């Protein structure tokens, strides 16, 4: 598991990076897991911080292509 800070809608939020088939992962309480490479799952506190809702659209960024995690 890797935890990093990522910009989502210009707010820095902590992000857990896990492979799709990880043996242990946070539970999904509402909505669904990631189905495609243009989706993310946000926790309740992060959704509240960003003033977002299930099914909404956010913009996420992490530095430059050279500094992105592998």
């Amino acid at each position: 598991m890797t935890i990093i800070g990522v910009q989502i809608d210009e707010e820095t939020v902590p992000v857990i990076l896990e492979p799709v088939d990880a043996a242990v992962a946070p539970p999904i309480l509402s909505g669904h897991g990631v189905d495609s490479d243009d989706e993310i799952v946000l926790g309740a506190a992060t959704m509240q911080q960003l003033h977002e809702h299930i099914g909404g659209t956010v913009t996420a960024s992490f530095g430059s292509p050279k500094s992105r995690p592998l």
Side-chain angles (χ1 to χ4, degrees):
M1 173 172 57
T2 302
I3 300 175
I4 60 170
V6 172
Q7 293 285 332
I8 300 179
D9 287 352
E10 299 181 19
E11 293 277 338
T12 301
V13 297
V15 171
I16 299 171
L17 299 177
E18 285 290 333
V20 174
D21 58 352
V24 177
I28 304 294
L29 302 178
S30 296
H32 61 85
V34 175
D35 290 331
S36 66
D37 62 1
D38 66 345
E39 294 181 334
I40 60 173
V41 175
L42 300 176
T46 302
M47 287 177 50
Q48 185 177 16
Q49 177 183 348
L50 299 172
H51 307 287
E52 275 300 331
H53 60 279
I54 294 174
T57 300
V58 297
T59 301
S61 64
F62 179 81
S64 66
K66 289 183 180 180
S67 65
R68 69 181 169 87
L70 299 175

